[in-house]
Amino acid sequence: GTTITISSNHWVMAWAGLEINTLAILPMISKSHHPRAIEAATKYFLTQATASALVLFSSMTNAWHTGQWDITQLTHPMSCLILTSAIAMKLGLVPFHFWFPEVLQGSPLTTGLLLSTMMKFPPMTLLFMTSPSLNSTLLVYMALLSAALGGWMGLNQTQIRKILAFSSISHLGWMAIIITYNPKLTLLNFYLYALMTTAVFLTLNSIKASKLSTLMTAWTKTPSLNAMLLLTLLSLA
């Protein structure tokens, strides 16, 4: 799904890749059969389906007015507006961010890692390819809100996965601010973010920590790993 999306020129192909991606991650979220996991999967599915429908709708509107199905030829202002909102919903930018902490909280750590890094990659590439035609005012507003709210709402959490979700929202805010001015810088930022987040998630997975209280007592078990985790968290911050 990711490969189809990042290598496509036609909007319908990009949409198909996004859909395959969504359907592929759903069993991974709900594999524990816990009610919370099922709820997370349902929330994820509904949000992503809406966002994909909006992507398709914006490209159809553009094709209707200009006759172009090419991803880089998005010129109609209404289409640009809808597409900016759709990708923001896919990524989890404020004000479409409510699903992300919930979904991350309901899924296991390895799936959470995929959700925070791999599943953000296709929408990021779409943003990269359409960056000249995006509605920059809307994007900058959403990005500023994301950067502020991500940092602010992560403060009063005790669940590590929720904190990481809000960290992801605020990082996405910074990436979305840069994308209209320097897309390559955004991609670099995204790669670095993915690398750090992978390190954090894998460390947490190996010490089986999901709450802050378990993290506080984890240094007795694995002192060296905990020191490395501290450094990774500092570089992520």
Side-chain angles (χ1 to χ4, degrees):
T2 305
T3 315
I4 289 175
T5 303
I6 64 181
S7 58
S8 58
N9 281 326
H10 196 286
W11 271 116
V12 177
M13 284 297 283
W15 169 80
L18 290 172
E19 285 294 305
I20 292 171
N21 242 359
T22 304
L23 291 177
I25 199 90
L26 285 175
M28 295 180 72
I29 299 174
S30 56
K31 71 167 184 269
S32 64
H33 298 301
H34 191 275
R36 178 168 277 177
I38 306 295
E39 186 191 347
T42 313
K43 281 177 179 169
Y44 184 77
F45 172 71
L46 290 173
T47 317
Q48 298 296 317
T50 312
S52 295
L54 280 175
V55 166
L56 204 54
F57 179 57
S58 98
S59 51
M60 276 169 66
T61 313
N62 188 61
W64 179 265
H65 285 282
T66 62
Q68 282 286 349
W69 278 101
D70 201 299
I71 286 186
T72 50
Q73 301 291 323
L74 196 74
T75 47
H76 193 255
M78 190 65 192
S79 304
C80 298
L81 191 71
I82 299 170
L83 183 84
T84 310
S85 315
I87 295 187
M89 195 184 285
K90 272 222 166 285
L91 286 168
L93 281 173
V94 176
F96 309 112
H97 67 291
F98 298 105
W99 62 274
F100 190 54
E102 300 289 325
V103 171
L104 212 63
Q105 183 55 37
S107 47
L109 276 167
T110 38
T111 311
L113 166 64
L114 282 176
L115 280 172
S116 314
T117 54
M118 197 60 200
M119 302 303 287
K120 300 268 158 117
F121 189 52
M124 280 310 282
T125 44
L126 282 182
L127 264 187
F128 181 78
M129 288 190 281
T130 55
S131 54
S133 55
L134 290 173
N135 188 319
S136 52
T137 334
L138 178 69
L139 200 60
V140 165
Y141 276 127
M142 288 197 293
L144 284 170
L145 275 171
S146 299
L149 272 178
W152 184 50
M153 291 173 78
L155 286 178
N156 57 351
Q157 302 293 336
T158 54
Q159 299 285 343
I160 293 179
R161 279 169 295 190
K162 277 198 173 171
I163 295 177
L164 284 168
F166 284 119
S167 131
S168 172
I169 290 169
S170 104
H171 278 281
L172 280 170
W174 292 116
M175 288 179 229
I177 283 185
I178 317 167
I179 193 107
T180 43
Y181 309 109
N182 193 342
K184 288 199 169 124
L185 208 55
T186 295
L187 271 193
L188 175 69
N189 190 350
F190 179 74
Y191 293 144
L192 289 174
Y193 159 74
L195 197 69
M196 308 284 185
T197 311
T198 307
V200 171
F201 267 103
L202 291 177
T203 311
L204 291 173
N205 197 33
S206 67
I207 55 181
K208 299 278 179 286
S210 64
K211 286 196 191 72
L212 280 182
S213 50
T214 43
L215 196 60
M216 285 169 192
T217 53
W219 65 272
T220 48
K221 288 181 278 185
T222 48
S224 50
L225 191 61
N226 251 44
M228 290 307 292
L229 177 62
L230 183 66
L231 290 174
T232 319
L233 285 174
L234 281 172
S235 40
L236 187 61

